[in-house]
Amino acid sequence: MTDKDGLPGPLGHDQDVTTDLVRLMPRDLIFTMRFLGESQHRLQRHFRDFIETEMGSAGMTPQTHPMIHSFIERHAIMLRDFVFSGVSLSRQFHVDEIERLLGDTTSLLRVDIWDDLKSYIEAAETQFRSQVPVLPDLLSDWESPASNAPEGGQ
C-alpha cells in the first residue's frame, strides 16, 4: 500500500527497514554543517563576554550575584547552539547533491549508509532485547488497576 507520493504505508515486520530507509534517502536524508572544536569554544567565549558585559552594565556582577558565572556559561552555550543550529539549518544538502559533489557515480555513499543503518538498527534491537527481562518490574507502575486487583474483582 502506498500514499499519494508513491511511498509505502506502514511497514510490516517482514519488510527490511534498512532498505526502505535507503530508498527514502533522496527525499529524507539531509547533510548539514556542524561547527566543532575551536569554533565552538570561540563563539561560546564571545557570548560569555557579551553576556557578562551586558549584565554588568545592568548592575549584575559577581559581587552582587556570586553564582552569576554558572548562569552566564549556560546562556552562552544556549546562544552558541542557537547560532550554529540556525546556520546549519539554512545550509542543507540532499544525498544526490553530495554524490554529485563527491563524483560518486556508483552510489557508494548510499551503500556505506545502508551498512551503517543496518549495523546500528541491529545493535539497537540487541540492546532492547537484553533489557526485556527486566521490563515487567520497571513497568509495574504502569499496569492497569484491574491487573493488580485480587481474583474475584476486589
Side-chain angles (χ1 to χ4, degrees):
M1 172 181 249
T2 59
D3 65 13
K4 63 181 172 47
D5 298 320
L7 298 171
L11 292 175
H13 291 290
D14 58 338
Q15 289 183 300
D16 183 358
V17 68
T18 306
T19 301
D20 219 31
L21 291 174
V22 171
R23 185 182 59 74
L24 294 169
M25 275 197 304
R27 185 193 72 186
D28 294 346
L29 178 63
I30 298 292
F31 290 85
T32 59
M33 297 183 298
R34 182 164 182 200
F35 289 87
L36 300 172
E38 189 175 345
S39 294
Q40 285 189 352
H41 176 71
R42 176 66 183 95
L43 187 58
Q44 185 175 333
R45 186 174 67 226
H46 162 78
F47 281 125
R48 186 174 52 233
D49 294 345
F50 168 78
I51 293 168
E52 189 169 13
T53 300
E54 292 297 312
M55 291 181 77
S57 67
M60 295 171 278
T61 67
Q63 291 74 31
T64 62
H65 296 78
M67 300 299 289
I68 201 170
H69 289 294
S70 295
F71 176 88
I72 290 171
E73 193 66 30
R74 182 169 184 230
H75 283 75
I77 290 169
M78 288 172 40
L79 293 176
R80 176 202 70 192
D81 291 348
F82 168 77
V83 168
F84 285 151
S85 293
V87 171
S88 293
L89 289 172
S90 69
R91 302 283 188 264
Q92 297 179 349
F93 301 95
H94 285 90
V95 69
D96 58 334
E97 295 169 310
I98 295 296
E99 287 172 333
R100 199 169 33 257
L101 288 170
L102 294 173
D104 182 9
T105 58
T106 59
S107 297
L108 285 176
L109 178 63
R110 294 177 198 227
V111 172
D112 288 343
I113 293 171
W114 186 93
D115 287 341
D116 286 343
L117 282 168
K118 189 73 168 168
S119 176
Y120 279 98
I121 289 169
E122 288 172 355
E125 290 172 350
T126 299
Q127 177 64 27
F128 184 80
R129 274 190 203 104
S130 74
Q131 296 173 1
V132 169
V134 298
L135 287 179
D137 289 338
L138 291 174
L139 298 177
S140 63
D141 289 340
W142 294 23
E143 290 178 353
S144 66
S147 66
N148 290 330
E151 290 292 320
Q154 291 187 351

